[in-house]
Amino acid sequence: MKPVCLVMGAGAGIGGTVGRRFAHEGYHSVLCRRSDEEGLNRLVGAIHEDGNEASGHLLNAIDEGAIEERVEAVEADIGPIEVVVFNLGAQIGDRSLAGTSYKAFELGWRMACFGLFRVASSVAPKMAERGKGTILVTSATAAVRGNKGQHSHAAAMGGRRMLCQSLNAEFASQGIHVAHILIDGAVDAPDTLGKMLGAERFQELRETRGMENDGLMLPEKIADTYFHIAQQHRSVWTHELDLRAFSDRAWWNH
Amino acid sequence: MKPVCLVMGAGAGIGGTVGRRFAHEGYHSVLCRRSDEEGLNRLVGAIHEDGNEASGHLLNAIDEGAIEERVEAVEADIGPIEVVVFNLGAQIGDRSLAGTSYKAFELGWRMACFGLFRVASSVAPKMAERGKGTILVTSATAAVRGNKGQHSHAAAMGGRRMLCQSLNAEFASQGIHVAHILIDGAVDAPDTLGKMLGAERFQELRETRGMENDGLMLPEKIADTYFHIAQQHRSVWTHELDLRAFSDRAWWNH
Amino acid sequence: MKPVCLVMGAGAGIGGTVGRRFAHEGYHSVLCRRSDEEGLNRLVGAIHEDGNEASGHLLNAIDEGAIEERVEAVEADIGPIEVVVFNLGAQIGDRSLAGTSYKAFELGWRMACFGLFRVASSVAPKMAERGKGTILVTSATAAVRGNKGQHSHAAAMGGRRMLCQSLNAEFASQGIHVAHILIDGAVDAPDTLGKMLGAERFQELRETRGMENDGLMLPEKIADTYFHIAQQHRSVWTHELDLRAFSDRAWWNH
Amino acid sequence: MKPVCLVMGAGAGIGGTVGRRFAHEGYHSVLCRRSDEEGLNRLVGAIHEDGNEASGHLLNAIDEGAIEERVEAVEADIGPIEVVVFNLGAQIGDRSLAGTSYKAFELGWRMACFGLFRVASSVAPKMAERGKGTILVTSATAAVRGNKGQHSHAAAMGGRRMLCQSLNAEFASQGIHVAHILIDGAVDAPDTLGKMLGAERFQELRETRGMENDGLMLPEKIADTYFHIAQQHRSVWTHELDLRAFSDRAWWNH
C-alpha cells in the first residue's frame, strides 16, 4: 500500500504539479480542488499515464465537514496520509479597504487560515500516532508583510504563518514536519496567475518573463524543493524557506 | 466639542487606563467592553471624578452590527472619533490542537482579527475624509511567533499584525496613523491576567514580580506610550514598537 | 549636578537636535562629532542661548581610545552619563560590490558597529553599577534588510542591531534601557542628507517633500520620541521602534 | 575539467561533509581550514578513497591576502569556482560584555562578516562574468536574534545576514545564487561542538540526544539540503532557510 499525499488546492500550478511529483516518487496522490472537473480529471489522468497512482475529488474546502470527511475517507479507503500539501490560496487581487467586503475578508480566512487549522486538526492526531507525517504549506509574501490592497489576503496568510509555527511547536517533536514555503513571486500557473491575468496577458508574460528567461517560477521546479523538504532527515528539518526567480527582487527589496 | 477616543476592550488594565488617560488629555473617551456593567461604570465614574468626559457601553464585539452601530452612534451623538484604541484580546491560555475547538479558533479570529477589520472599515473612511485619525492596536507576542498551545491566539494575532500593515499601507498617506503595539509580557491587569490566574495567585505575582520590583507592566505607564504615539508629529510616525518590563526577557530570547 | 546626555554623532540633524532637547529637559549634553568645529560651536552655542548646559568635542570615533577617553573625562569632569545617544551612521551611498573597497567596508563596521560596542563597553559597567542608564541607538532600514549597493552599510547596521539585542539581554535587568530606533526615511538634516545631496537638491527636496508636506522627518519631532523612550518607566520599556513620515511607504513595502 | 566547490571552514562537521558531498556529485572540492593539517588530510583522503577529487589547504582566513590568493590560485590551477561554501563561524561561547575583549569582537567580525565580504569580492565578479555561481553561507541563530553573552557572535552574524541580502540584491539577476542557511541547533560535529564541549561531554551528548534519537543535526543530512539548494533551478531559488532537529524547539520558541 502506497503512502498517501493529499493535496488541497490541486490546480494546474503548484498543487497539481507537486501532486504529480509525489505520485512519481511512489505516493498515491489525492488531488482536491474546488471546481473544474475536467481540469481535475486531466491532472489525475496525466499521473495515471505516468504509470502512477492518483485520485481526484471536487471539494469546496469551506463547506462544513468537507475537509474532515475527505481525510477520513482517504485514510479508510486509500491509506495513511503521510504528506499533506496545503495549497489553498486567498489572493483576490488588490482591493482597497472600502472594496473589501466582510464576506471577502472572512472567505480569505476560511480558506487560507481556518482551512489549514481544519486539515491539521483532522490529520495531525493520526500522524502523531504513527510518529510521522509532513505538512507542506504553500505560502505567499503576504504572510510576512501587509501591503496596499491586501487586507484580506495578508490577514489570512499572516494568521496561517503563525499557525504553522504553533503546529510546529506542538508536533515537530512528535515526528510531524510542518514547513512554511514562501512563494515570493509569480508562478507559471495557468489556473491561478493565468486566470487572474486572462489568457492573452498571461501568454505575453510567459513570453517576456518566463520561457528561456526563467523569470516565472516553474511548478516542476518548485516541486523539486517540496519533495526535498518532505524527504529531509528528521535531524535537519526546515520550517521556513522562500522561493523566487533569480531575476526577481526579494520581497524585502520592493 | 471634544475629540473622541473610542476604546474597544476597556477593562481594568490597558484599555480602561488608556481611556482614562486620553480623557485626561482632553478627549471624550468612549469605553466599550463585553461584560461587567459594574466594572464599566466604575471606570467611567473614575474619569468623571477626574473632571473629564467619558461614556461607557456594554458591547459584544462579535455581534453582527455591534461595532458598526456603536461607531455611527458615537460619531452622531458625541463627535468625530479621532483615536481608536483596539484592545480586544484573544488569549485563551495554552491549549493543544486537540483541545482547541473550531469554535474557539473562530472566536479568536472574530475578536482579534475580524474585529479590527470591522472597526477599521467603519472608522477609516471617516478619518480619511477628515485627513486625520489614529488607530492604536494592542498586540501580543503571539503576533510575531507561534508557540505551543497558541494555535488560535497566534493565528488571530498574526493575521491582525498583517492587517495593521495593510491598513497602514493604504491609510498612512491619508493621515491615519496605525500603530501596532506589541505588549511582550505580563500586565498588572486585574480584568485579564487577574482573572486568568485567580485572585490569590495574581496577588502573589503582584507582590513578587510587580510592586517595587516593576516586573509587571503597569497600565498607567503603558498609557504614557500610547498617548505619546498618538501625539507623534506626522513626519515621524511609529508603526510598530514593543513594550516589556526591564526585568523580563524579550520574546526572541525565550 | 545635572545628569549627562552623551551624543556620539552630533550634527545638525538627529544628533544635535536630540542633544539640545535633552539639555532643555535638564541634562548636560555632551556633543561629539568628527569634524566642523564651527558647526559644533553653533550647536553648543544654541543650547547655551536656550539657557541650558552643553559642551562639545571634536572626536574621531574610530581613533583608538577616543571614545573611551571621552567617556572617562565626561564622567570625571561633568558627571555620570545617564543617557547615550549613539548616532554614528555609516551610509556611504549606493555602491556596487566592486565599488566597495575593503577599507570602506571596514570603516562602516568601525563606526556603526564597533563604535557602539566600544561606547557600551565603556559606559555600561558604570550604568550597571548605578542601576540605571539609557542607550538610544539611531538605526536605519539597512539594519533589517540588505539591498543593492548597501554591502557595507547593511553589514554594519545589521551587526549593530544584533548587538543592541545582546546588550539588552545582558543589561536590561540591570537597569539599562537599550533602544534600537529605526529611522526609515529621509531626515531633514543639513549635515547628512544635505551634504549627500548638495545644497541645491536638498533645498528642492525640502520644498517639495518637506515643509508643509511633512514628508521629511523633522529632527525636533524625532527628538520628542527619543526623549519619550528615555523617560519610559522601567516596567514598560521599548526595545525597538520605527519612525517614518506619514507620506512614506514602510521599508517592507518598497 | 570538473567544476570547483570551494569550502571555507572545512572541519569534521558541516564544512568537510558538504565538501565531500559535492565531490561525490562531480565537483572538485577545495577544502580550506585554519589548522589541523592531519584532520585536513584525513578529509581529503576520504574523498580520494571515494574515488572523487579534492585538495586541501591550511589557510588563516583573517590573514591579509589569504582568501584572495587562494581564490586566484584555485581558478588558475584547478578550474572555475562554481560553488562556495562559506562555513566560517565565530562562536566563542557565551561571554559577558566585560568578558568580550575588543580583539575578540573584532576577530568575530573579521572571520564571519569581513571574511564573506572578501570571498564574495574575489569570486562574485568571476561568477557574474560566467553568468552562474552559488554561494552557500552557513549561518546561526545569532544572525536573527542577539542574546546574552553573544555580543561578538551576534554582531558578526547579523552583519553577515544583511551582507547576504545585499549580495543577493546585486547578483541574483546576474546568475549568482546566494543562500543564507540558518543552522538552528547543535550539530554532531567533532571539530566544533566536540571541541567546545570536550570529548567526554560530547560523547555523552551524542548518546543522549544524538544517535537513534536524531536530536543532533547530522552533517551528512545537512549536506543533502546544501546540495539541493545548489541544484535549484534558477526560476526557484531559496535565499533563506532554517534547519533544526525535529526534537528541538525553534529559536523563536526559546
Side-chain angles (χ1 to χ4, degrees):
Chain A
M1 194 174 60
K2 293 189 167 193
V4 172
C5 169
L6 173 66
V7 182
M8 305 298 299
I14 295 177
T17 309
V18 170
R20 189 173 180 175
R21 173 62 181 273
F22 274 85
H24 177 74
E25 303 284 351
Y27 290 77
H28 178 117
S29 285
V30 179
L31 307 183
C32 302
R33 58 188 292 175
R34 195 182 38 175
S35 58
D36 186 2
E37 190 156 18
E38 202 188 309
L40 177 63
N41 290 339
R42 212 163 29 231
L43 287 169
V44 172
I47 295 175
H48 289 161
E49 276 169 42
D50 293 342
N52 300 318
E53 276 189 28
S55 40
H57 300 273
L58 289 186
L59 174 161
N60 191 343
I62 66 170
D63 286 350
E64 203 183 315
I67 290 174
E68 296 75 4
E69 287 158 22
R70 181 50 46 209
V71 165
E72 290 308 322
V74 167
E75 289 262 338
D77 303 341
I78 309 183
I81 297 170
E82 203 168 273
V83 176
V84 170
V85 177
F86 188 82
N87 193 49
L88 294 182
Q91 180 58 278
I92 50 172
D94 282 344
R95 296 196 193 179
S96 68
L97 185 66
T100 309
S101 67
Y102 284 12
K103 205 178 146 190
F105 190 83
E106 178 164 349
L107 193 61
W109 171 78
R110 286 215 172 271
M111 291 198 299
C113 188
F114 189 47
L116 174 61
F117 179 75
R118 288 168 58 199
V119 170
S121 295
S122 305
V123 142
K126 298 178 197 298
M127 289 178 167
E129 212 187 315
R130 297 190 284 257
K132 89 174 174 184
T134 302
I135 302 177
L136 304 172
V137 181
T138 303
S139 186
T141 317
V144 284
R145 65 110 179 256
N147 212 341
K148 224 166 175 169
Q150 293 285 300
H151 305 287
S152 166
H153 189 223
M157 300 307 267
R160 180 147 117 179
R161 181 167 177 256
M162 288 301 104
L163 176 58
C164 286
Q165 292 190 2
S166 299
L167 291 169
N168 175 69
E170 181 170 342
F171 290 106
S173 61
Q174 300 182 50
I176 304 180
H177 183 179
V178 179
H180 182 260
I181 306 174
L182 208 154
I183 305 293
D184 183 30
V187 178
D188 187 2
D191 273 355
T192 46
L193 186 62
K195 279 174 184 163
M196 205 185 285
L197 295 178
E200 206 172 324
R201 280 186 56 208
F202 182 52
Q203 187 54 27
E204 194 185 304
L205 188 70
R206 274 184 149 174
E207 281 166 18
T208 51
R209 267 183 65 183
M211 306 274 173
E212 67 259 44
N213 295 321
D214 294 331
L216 288 179
M217 304 176 74
L218 299 176
E220 289 76 17
K221 306 305 184 180
I222 291 175
D224 288 346
T225 291
Y226 274 65
F227 186 69
H228 174 74
I229 297 297
Q231 296 300 302
Q232 284 180 317
H233 184 261
R234 67 176 188 161
S235 83
V236 289
W237 280 352
T238 292
H239 175 69
E240 187 164 75
L241 74 161
D242 52 8
L243 289 173
R244 73 181 59 79
F246 79 107
S247 53
D248 217 352
R249 276 175 300 162
W251 68 262
W252 56 83
N253 289 133
H254 69 128
Chain B
M1 193 173 59
K2 292 188 169 195
V4 172
C5 169
L6 173 66
V7 182
M8 305 296 301
I14 296 177
T17 308
V18 170
R20 187 172 181 175
R21 174 61 182 272
F22 274 85
H24 178 73
E25 302 285 350
Y27 290 78
H28 179 118
S29 284
V30 179
L31 308 184
C32 301
R33 59 188 291 174
R34 194 182 39 177
S35 57
D36 187 2
E37 190 157 15
E38 201 188 309
L40 178 63
N41 290 339
R42 210 160 33 228
L43 287 169
V44 172
I47 295 176
H48 288 161
E49 276 169 42
D50 292 343
N52 300 317
E53 275 190 27
S55 41
H57 300 274
L58 289 187
L59 172 161
N60 192 343
I62 66 171
D63 286 349
E64 204 184 315
I67 290 174
E68 296 76 3
E69 287 158 21
R70 181 49 48 209
V71 166
E72 290 307 324
V74 167
E75 288 263 338
D77 303 342
I78 309 185
I81 297 170
E82 203 167 273
V83 176
V84 170
V85 177
F86 188 81
N87 193 49
L88 294 181
Q91 180 59 278
I92 50 173
D94 283 345
R95 296 193 192 179
S96 69
L97 185 66
T100 309
S101 67
Y102 284 12
K103 205 179 144 189
F105 190 82
E106 178 165 347
L107 194 61
W109 171 79
R110 285 213 174 274
M111 290 198 299
C113 188
F114 190 46
L116 175 60
F117 179 75
R118 288 168 58 198
V119 170
S121 294
S122 305
V123 141
K126 298 178 197 297
M127 288 177 167
E129 212 188 312
R130 298 190 283 256
K132 89 176 177 183
T134 302
I135 302 176
L136 304 172
V137 180
T138 303
S139 185
T141 316
V144 284
R145 65 108 181 259
N147 211 342
K148 226 168 175 168
Q150 293 285 300
H151 305 287
S152 166
H153 189 222
M157 299 308 266
R160 179 147 116 178
R161 180 167 177 257
M162 288 300 105
L163 176 57
C164 286
Q165 292 189 3
S166 299
L167 290 170
N168 175 68
E170 181 172 341
F171 290 106
S173 62
Q174 300 182 49
I176 304 180
H177 183 180
V178 180
H180 182 258
I181 306 173
L182 208 154
I183 305 293
D184 184 28
V187 179
D188 187 2
D191 272 356
T192 47
L193 186 63
K195 279 174 184 163
M196 204 185 285
L197 295 177
E200 205 172 326
R201 280 186 55 211
F202 182 52
Q203 185 55 27
E204 194 185 305
L205 187 69
R206 275 185 147 176
E207 281 165 17
T208 51
R209 265 184 66 185
M211 306 273 173
E212 67 258 45
N213 295 321
D214 294 330
L216 288 179
M217 303 175 75
L218 299 176
E220 288 76 14
K221 306 304 185 182
I222 292 175
D224 287 346
T225 290
Y226 275 64
F227 186 68
H228 174 74
I229 297 297
Q231 296 299 303
Q232 285 179 316
H233 185 260
R234 68 177 189 161
S235 83
V236 288
W237 279 354
T238 292
H239 176 69
E240 187 163 76
L241 74 162
D242 52 7
L243 288 173
R244 73 182 57 77
F246 79 107
S247 53
D248 217 351
R249 276 176 300 162
W251 69 261
W252 54 84
N253 288 133
H254 69 129
Chain C
M1 193 174 59
K2 293 188 168 194
V4 171
C5 169
L6 174 65
V7 182
M8 305 296 301
I14 296 177
T17 308
V18 170
R20 189 172 180 174
R21 174 64 181 273
F22 275 84
H24 178 72
E25 302 284 350
Y27 290 76
H28 179 118
S29 285
V30 178
L31 307 184
C32 302
R33 60 189 291 175
R34 195 182 39 177
S35 57
D36 186 2
E37 191 158 13
E38 203 188 308
L40 178 62
N41 290 339
R42 214 163 27 232
L43 287 169
V44 172
I47 296 176
H48 288 161
E49 276 170 42
D50 293 344
N52 300 317
E53 274 188 30
S55 39
H57 300 273
L58 289 186
L59 173 163
N60 191 341
I62 66 170
D63 285 350
E64 204 184 315
I67 290 174
E68 296 76 2
E69 287 159 19
R70 181 51 47 208
V71 166
E72 290 307 322
V74 167
E75 289 261 337
D77 303 341
I78 308 184
I81 297 169
E82 203 167 272
V83 176
V84 169
V85 177
F86 189 81
N87 193 50
L88 294 182
Q91 181 57 281
I92 50 172
D94 282 345
R95 296 195 192 179
S96 69
L97 184 65
T100 309
S101 67
Y102 284 14
K103 206 180 143 188
F105 190 82
E106 178 164 347
L107 193 61
W109 171 79
R110 284 212 175 275
M111 290 198 301
C113 188
F114 190 47
L116 175 61
F117 179 74
R118 288 167 60 199
V119 170
S121 294
S122 304
V123 142
K126 298 178 198 298
M127 288 177 167
E129 213 188 312
R130 297 189 284 255
K132 91 175 175 185
T134 302
I135 302 176
L136 303 173
V137 180
T138 303
S139 186
T141 316
V144 283
R145 66 108 179 258
N147 212 341
K148 224 166 175 170
Q150 294 284 302
H151 305 288
S152 166
H153 190 222
M157 300 308 267
R160 182 147 114 181
R161 180 168 177 255
M162 287 300 105
L163 176 57
C164 285
Q165 292 190 2
S166 299
L167 290 170
N168 176 69
E170 181 172 341
F171 290 106
S173 62
Q174 300 182 49
I176 304 180
H177 183 180
V178 179
H180 182 258
I181 306 173
L182 209 154
I183 305 294
D184 184 29
V187 178
D188 187 2
D191 272 355
T192 47
L193 186 62
K195 280 174 184 162
M196 205 186 283
L197 295 177
E200 207 172 324
R201 280 187 55 210
F202 182 52
Q203 185 54 27
E204 195 186 304
L205 188 69
R206 276 184 147 175
E207 281 166 18
T208 52
R209 267 184 66 184
M211 308 271 173
E212 66 258 47
N213 295 321
D214 294 331
L216 288 179
M217 304 176 75
L218 299 177
E220 288 76 16
K221 307 304 185 181
I222 292 176
D224 288 347
T225 290
Y226 275 64
F227 187 69
H228 175 74
I229 297 297
Q231 296 298 304
Q232 284 179 317
H233 185 260
R234 68 177 188 162
S235 84
V236 288
W237 280 353
T238 292
H239 176 67
E240 188 164 75
L241 74 161
D242 52 7
L243 288 173
R244 73 183 56 80
F246 80 107
S247 53
D248 217 351
R249 277 176 300 163
W251 69 262
W252 54 84
N253 290 133
H254 70 129
Chain D
M1 192 174 61
K2 294 189 167 192
V4 172
C5 169
L6 173 66
V7 182
M8 304 299 299
I14 296 176
T17 309
V18 171
R20 189 173 180 174
R21 174 62 181 274
F22 275 85
H24 179 72
E25 303 284 352
Y27 290 78
H28 178 116
S29 285
V30 179
L31 307 183
C32 301
R33 59 188 291 176
R34 195 182 40 176
S35 58
D36 187 2
E37 189 157 15
E38 203 189 308
L40 177 63
N41 290 338
R42 212 161 31 232
L43 287 169
V44 172
I47 295 176
H48 290 162
E49 277 170 41
D50 293 343
N52 299 318
E53 274 189 30
S55 40
H57 300 274
L58 290 186
L59 171 162
N60 191 341
I62 67 170
D63 286 349
E64 203 183 315
I67 290 173
E68 296 75 3
E69 287 159 20
R70 182 50 48 208
V71 166
E72 290 307 323
V74 167
E75 290 262 337
D77 302 342
I78 310 182
I81 298 170
E82 203 167 272
V83 176
V84 170
V85 177
F86 188 81
N87 192 50
L88 294 182
Q91 181 57 280
I92 50 172
D94 283 343
R95 295 195 193 177
S96 68
L97 185 65
T100 309
S101 66
Y102 283 12
K103 206 180 144 186
F105 190 82
E106 178 165 345
L107 194 61
W109 171 78
R110 285 212 175 275
M111 291 198 300
C113 188
F114 189 47
L116 175 60
F117 178 75
R118 288 168 59 199
V119 170
S121 295
S122 305
V123 142
K126 298 178 198 298
M127 290 177 165
E129 212 187 313
R130 297 190 284 257
K132 92 175 174 182
T134 302
I135 302 176
L136 303 172
V137 180
T138 304
S139 185
T141 317
V144 283
R145 66 110 179 257
N147 211 341
K148 224 167 175 169
Q150 293 285 301
H151 305 287
S152 166
H153 189 223
M157 300 308 267
R160 182 147 115 178
R161 181 167 177 256
M162 287 300 104
L163 176 58
C164 285
Q165 292 190 2
S166 299
L167 290 170
N168 175 69
E170 181 170 342
F171 290 106
S173 61
Q174 300 183 48
I176 305 180
H177 183 180
V178 179
H180 183 259
I181 306 174
L182 208 155
I183 305 293
D184 184 30
V187 179
D188 188 2
D191 272 356
T192 47
L193 187 62
K195 280 174 183 161
M196 205 186 284
L197 296 177
E200 206 171 322
R201 280 186 55 209
F202 182 53
Q203 186 54 29
E204 196 185 303
L205 187 71
R206 275 184 148 174
E207 282 166 17
T208 51
R209 268 184 64 184
M211 306 271 174
E212 66 258 45
N213 295 321
D214 294 330
L216 288 179
M217 304 175 75
L218 299 176
E220 288 76 16
K221 307 305 185 181
I222 290 175
D224 288 346
T225 291
Y226 274 64
F227 187 69
H228 174 75
I229 297 296
Q231 296 299 302
Q232 284 180 317
H233 185 260
R234 66 176 188 162
S235 84
V236 289
W237 280 353
T238 292
H239 176 69
E240 187 164 76
L241 74 162
D242 52 8
L243 288 172
R244 71 182 58 78
F246 79 108
S247 54
D248 217 352
R249 277 174 300 162
W251 68 261
W252 54 84
N253 289 132
H254 70 127

